[in-house]
Amino acid sequence: MSRIERRALFGGMAALPLAAPGILRAQPARPVQIGLLSDMSGPFRDVGGPGNRVAAELAIQDFGGGVLGRPVTVRQADGQNRADVSAALAREWIDNGGVDALADGAASSSGLAIQEVCREKKRIYIITGPATSDMTGSKCSPYGMHFGFDTYALAHGTGTALTKAGGDSWYFITSDYAFGHALERDTMAAVRANGGKVLGAVRAPLNNADFSSFLIQARASGAKVVGMALAGVDLQNCIKQAAEFGLTRGGIRIATLLVQITDVVALGQRTCEGMVFTDSFYWDMTDGTRAWARRYMARMTTPPGLQHAAVYTGVTHWLKAVRDVGSTDADAVAARMKAMPVNDMYNNDVRIREDGRTLHSMYLWEIKKQAESHGPYDFCKLITTIPAEEAWRPLREGGCPLVRI
């Protein structure tokens, strides 16, 4: 228990009224708790972090603040993008903290560890930060529901589009952990499936500041496309340094395989002009997303990205399932989550597959030239919509042991 949590507990105990002899006072119902294990201080803080708590709280607010006659509360902690820390926190929260469902997860390595704890303890895991497609592949769980994105959809959207457009030779700069490995693997498969060649790859440590040697190797490879299987601050650093090295001026196309709106804010629109990327959410898509984004931005300084939208979706869908089954029992709730369609401010009758994959539509976007923007954060123009049946890995190819085909 943290010092803040301990202080809150003791303060609450001190505030309890003394019961008169012979009089029993009703105790308040234990809240339904959702635990967010997030990156609060590392490279994924802006794309998830505190914004994920805001998104979860908006979902709870829109649901009415309670379920099963009990209030719903959110707890958040920094998993530090470490599997051991995240797993230990998840276990402590479930065993001793009364947490009913876990969400977020940040780095894929952390998410895979959280998923194993939730499998053992029978808790729903709303997966929004981890991107590896293994979450619903070989490492799938009956309690894991993957919202927003994964490496297969990101890779096949951008990788296929650029290869078909003439970018038929690739070199990869890849984050050296589960997410990067999966994104590289899935993009390589998309490139080769569309007639392209992979000329090489280099692995960069997480939270890396200097990409100069990796960019030199990429340029020397002669590849037409440099695929950046990176995320968060690592991606931002690599994009900035690629511009300094003049890669694009030399005719090389940069494939940013996971760009989020906060990356564009941090880098500046001019730096990002012309970048193509795949995403499942953009704040300026519809009247519904714009209204939701305004509420989010009333509490945060930047617009929401796909992870924030995914947290809102996942928490909302979990609460609906808990209400419908009348319990937080993970087996009953998981069955209901997969049986009913996902509907919210940006999903319309979307289903969750047997392996836990939420089958959103995906979108291929291009960053506008600054002169084309009509207001703050007007960054993206839609190139094409990728329907769910084309965006996501076919069920038979994932290797999920829950799937019987």
Side-chain angles (χ1 to χ4, degrees):
M1 184 181 292
S2 72
R3 184 173 63 184
I4 293 173
E5 289 175 332
R6 189 178 296 113
R7 186 169 60 206
L9 173 62
F10 290 159
M13 291 173 63
L16 288 174
L18 295 175
I23 299 176
L24 294 177
R25 293 184 181 272
Q27 297 299 310
R30 180 183 73 80
V32 173
Q33 288 193 71
I34 300 167
L36 299 174
L37 286 166
S38 307
D39 180 351
M40 301 298 287
S41 55
F44 313 129
R45 182 184 189 278
D46 290 342
V47 298
N52 281 348
R53 180 168 192 141
V54 171
E57 290 174 348
L58 288 174
I60 294 166
Q61 178 184 334
D62 290 347
F63 195 75
V67 71
L68 308 179
R70 296 151 59 188
V72 182
T73 61
V74 178
R75 171 181 287 191
Q76 188 172 44
D78 190 349
Q80 301 175 38
N81 296 313
R82 288 177 52 185
D84 57 343
V85 172
S86 296
L89 282 166
R91 194 176 298 278
E92 169 66 19
W93 280 0
I94 293 169
D95 288 346
N96 302 311
V99 168
D100 298 287
L102 276 293
D104 193 358
S108 290
S109 50
S110 300
L112 289 166
I114 295 166
Q115 177 133 294
E116 289 310 304
V117 174
C118 288
R119 185 200 309 274
E120 174 193 343
K121 299 291 183 179
K122 294 191 175 184
R123 290 293 192 279
I124 296 296
Y125 178 27
I126 299 164
I127 307 160
T128 59
T132 176
S133 58
D134 293 340
M135 301 296 299
T136 56
S138 61
K139 305 296 184 183
C140 72
S141 162
Y143 310 114
M145 311 288 167
H146 205 170
F147 293 87
F149 67 152
D150 70 17
T151 53
Y152 182 96
L154 297 173
H156 281 252
T158 307
T160 297
L162 291 182
T163 304
K164 285 184 174 179
D168 56 5
S169 60
W170 287 61
Y171 187 93
F172 288 86
I173 301 174
T174 303
S175 284
D176 194 12
Y177 73 105
F179 155 75
H181 300 171
L183 187 53
E184 178 192 271
R185 174 198 68 207
D186 291 342
T187 311
M188 284 182 176
V191 169
R192 289 167 175 150
N194 288 280
K197 298 179 293 184
V198 176
L199 303 185
V202 64
R203 299 286 170 83
L206 180 64
N207 225 0
N208 185 56
D210 184 5
F211 286 86
S212 57
S213 64
F214 308 132
L215 291 164
I216 289 169
Q217 293 176 66
R219 183 165 57 189
S221 73
K224 295 178 182 177
V225 180
V226 174
M228 295 183 179
L230 307 162
V233 175
D234 286 346
L235 175 66
Q236 294 170 23
N237 286 336
C238 196
I239 290 172
K240 284 188 239 180
Q241 290 167 36
E244 292 166 3
F245 273 76
L247 259 68
T248 54
R249 290 195 299 273
I252 296 173
R253 191 77 183 265
I254 301 296
T256 46
L257 300 170
L258 176 52
V259 173
Q260 300 189 57
I261 197 78
T262 48
D263 296 320
V264 183
V265 173
L267 289 165
Q269 185 172 356
R270 190 172 298 279
T271 299
C272 300
E273 287 178 353
M275 287 194 323
V276 173
F277 67 99
T278 306
D279 203 337
S280 65
F281 172 84
Y282 176 47
W283 74 270
D284 199 18
M285 291 168 65
T286 66
D287 289 342
T289 59
R290 284 187 285 274
W292 185 79
R294 283 194 294 271
R295 294 170 59 210
Y296 176 93
M297 285 189 278
R299 296 175 57 182
M300 299 294 291
T301 58
T302 56
L306 73 91
Q307 291 190 36
H308 307 124
V311 168
Y312 179 87
T313 292
V315 169
T316 298
H317 198 64
W318 181 76
L319 287 170
K320 288 178 180 178
V322 169
R323 177 197 60 199
D324 288 358
V325 303
S327 167
T328 58
D329 176 77
D331 288 298
V333 171
R336 183 60 184 151
M337 290 178 77
K338 291 177 181 177
M340 68 177 177
V342 179
N343 284 294
D344 54 43
M345 49 85 184
Y346 84 109
N347 291 291
N348 183 28
D349 287 341
V350 169
R351 74 180 185 93
I352 300 178
R353 215 164 52 179
E354 299 95 302
D355 57 358
R357 175 67 261 164
T358 305
L359 300 173
H360 312 271
S361 294
M362 296 294 284
Y363 305 93
L364 193 66
W365 303 96
E366 182 177 342
I367 303 297
K368 298 177 180 179
K369 293 180 179 178
Q370 199 165 26
E372 297 174 349
S373 293
H374 300 294
Y377 309 124
D378 178 23
F379 294 147
C380 299
K381 59 183 176 184
L382 181 64
I383 298 174
T384 189
T385 299
I386 308 169
E389 60 270 21
E390 296 176 19
W392 305 101
R393 179 179 56 208
L395 189 60
R396 66 184 180 276
E397 294 179 10
C400 172
L402 303 175
V403 174
R404 299 288 182 266
I405 297 180

